[in-house]
Coordinates of all heavy atoms in Angstrom, one line a residue:
A77 N -83.1 64.7 -45.3 CA -84.0 64.3 -46.4 C -84.2 65.4 -47.4 O -84.1 65.3 -48.6 CB -85.3 63.7 -45.9
I78 N -84.5 66.6 -46.8 CA -84.7 67.8 -47.7 C -83.4 68.1 -48.4 O -83.5 68.4 -49.6 CB -85.2 69.0 -46.8 CG1 -86.6 68.7 -46.3 CG2 -85.1 70.3 -47.6 CD1 -87.0 69.7 -45.2
T79 N -82.3 68.0 -47.8 CA -81.0 68.4 -48.4 C -80.7 67.4 -49.5 O -80.3 67.8 -50.6 CB -79.9 68.3 -47.3 OG1 -80.2 69.3 -46.3 CG2 -78.5 68.6 -47.9
V80 N -80.9 66.1 -49.3 CA -80.6 65.1 -50.3 C -81.6 65.3 -51.5 O -81.1 65.3 -52.7 CB -80.7 63.7 -49.7 CG1 -80.7 62.7 -50.9 CG2 -79.5 63.4 -48.8
A81 N -82.8 65.5 -51.2 CA -83.8 65.7 -52.3 C -83.5 67.0 -53.1 O -83.5 66.9 -54.4 CB -85.2 65.8 -51.7
M82 N -83.2 68.1 -52.5 CA -82.9 69.3 -53.2 C -81.6 69.1 -54.0 O -81.4 69.6 -55.1 CB -82.8 70.5 -52.3 CG -84.1 71.0 -51.8 SD -84.0 72.6 -51.0 CE -82.8 72.4 -49.7
G83 N -80.6 68.4 -53.4 CA -79.3 68.2 -54.1 C -79.5 67.4 -55.3 O -78.9 67.7 -56.4
L84 N -80.3 66.3 -55.2 CA -80.5 65.4 -56.4 C -81.3 66.2 -57.5 O -80.9 66.0 -58.7 CB -81.3 64.2 -56.0 CG -80.5 63.2 -55.1 CD1 -81.5 62.1 -54.6 CD2 -79.4 62.6 -55.9
V85 N -82.2 67.0 -57.1 CA -82.9 67.8 -58.1 C -82.0 68.7 -58.8 O -82.0 68.9 -60.0 CB -84.1 68.5 -57.5 CG1 -84.7 69.6 -58.4 CG2 -85.2 67.5 -57.1
L86 N -81.1 69.4 -58.0 CA -80.2 70.3 -58.6 C -79.2 69.6 -59.5 O -78.8 70.2 -60.6 CB -79.5 71.1 -57.4 CG -78.9 72.4 -57.8 CD1 -79.9 73.3 -58.4 CD2 -78.3 73.1 -56.6
V87 N -78.7 68.5 -59.1 CA -77.8 67.7 -59.9 C -78.4 67.3 -61.2 O -77.9 67.5 -62.3 CB -77.2 66.5 -59.2 CG1 -76.6 65.5 -60.1 CG2 -76.2 66.9 -58.1
W88 N -79.7 66.9 -61.2 CA -80.4 66.5 -62.4 C -80.6 67.7 -63.3 O -80.4 67.6 -64.5 CB -81.7 65.8 -62.0 CG -82.6 65.4 -63.1 CD1 -82.4 64.3 -63.9 CD2 -83.6 66.2 -63.7 NE1 -83.4 64.3 -64.9 CE2 -84.1 65.4 -64.8 CE3 -84.3 67.4 -63.4 CZ2 -85.2 65.9 -65.6 CZ3 -85.3 67.8 -64.2 CH2 -85.8 67.1 -65.3
L89 N -81.1 68.8 -62.7 CA -81.3 70.0 -63.5 C -80.0 70.5 -64.2 O -80.0 70.9 -65.3 CB -81.8 71.2 -62.6 CG -83.3 71.2 -62.3 CD1 -83.6 72.3 -61.3 CD2 -84.1 71.5 -63.6
T90 N -78.9 70.4 -63.4 CA -77.6 70.8 -64.0 C -77.3 69.9 -65.2 O -76.9 70.4 -66.3 CB -76.5 70.8 -63.0 OG1 -76.9 71.7 -61.9 CG2 -75.2 71.2 -63.5
F91 N -77.4 68.6 -65.0 CA -77.1 67.7 -66.1 C -78.0 68.0 -67.3 O -77.6 68.1 -68.5 CB -77.3 66.3 -65.6 CG -77.0 65.3 -66.7 CD1 -75.7 65.0 -67.1 CD2 -78.1 64.6 -67.3 CE1 -75.5 64.1 -68.2 CE2 -77.9 63.7 -68.4 CZ -76.6 63.5 -68.8
R92 N -79.3 68.2 -67.1 CA -80.3 68.4 -68.2 C -80.1 69.7 -68.9 O -80.2 69.8 -70.1 CB -81.7 68.3 -67.6 CG -82.1 66.9 -67.1 CD -82.3 66.0 -68.2 NE -83.4 66.4 -69.1 CZ -83.8 65.8 -70.2 NH1 -83.2 64.7 -70.6 NH2 -84.7 66.3 -70.9
C93 N -79.8 70.7 -68.1 CA -79.7 72.1 -68.6 C -78.4 72.4 -69.3 O -78.2 73.4 -69.9 CB -80.0 73.1 -67.6 SG -81.7 73.1 -67.0
T94 N -77.4 71.6 -69.0 CA -76.0 71.9 -69.6 C -75.7 71.0 -70.8 O -74.7 71.3 -71.4 CB -74.9 71.8 -68.5 OG1 -74.9 70.5 -68.0 CG2 -75.1 72.8 -67.4
R95 N -76.5 70.0 -71.1 CA -76.2 69.2 -72.2 C -76.3 70.0 -73.5 O -77.1 70.9 -73.6 CB -77.2 68.0 -72.3 CG -77.1 67.0 -71.3 CD -78.0 65.9 -71.4 NE -79.2 66.1 -72.2 CZ -80.1 65.3 -72.4 NH1 -80.1 64.2 -71.8 NH2 -81.2 65.7 -73.1
E96 N -75.5 69.7 -74.4 CA -75.5 70.3 -75.8 C -75.2 71.8 -75.7 O -75.5 72.6 -76.7 CB -76.9 70.2 -76.4 CG -77.4 68.7 -76.5 CD -76.5 67.9 -77.4 OE1 -76.1 68.4 -78.5 OE2 -76.3 66.7 -77.1
K97 N -74.7 72.3 -74.6 CA -74.3 73.8 -74.6 C -72.8 73.9 -74.7 O -72.0 73.0 -74.5 CB -74.7 74.3 -73.2 CG -76.2 74.2 -73.0 CD -76.8 75.5 -72.7 CE -78.3 75.5 -72.3 NZ -79.2 74.7 -73.1
R98 N -72.4 75.1 -75.1 CA -71.0 75.4 -75.2 C -70.4 75.5 -73.8 O -71.1 75.7 -72.8 CB -70.8 76.7 -76.0 CG -71.2 76.6 -77.4 CD -70.8 77.8 -78.2 NE -71.3 77.7 -79.5 CZ -70.6 77.2 -80.5 NH1 -69.5 76.6 -80.3 NH2 -71.1 77.2 -81.8

Side-chain angles (χ1 to χ4, degrees):
I78 290 167
T79 300
V80 168
M82 286 193 302
L84 290 173
V85 167
L86 202 56
V87 163
W88 180 81
L89 276 172
T90 301
F91 179 75
R92 294 288 299 176
C93 294
T94 58
R95 290 186 337 188
E96 306 294 321
K97 302 236 184 315
R98 295 187 183 273

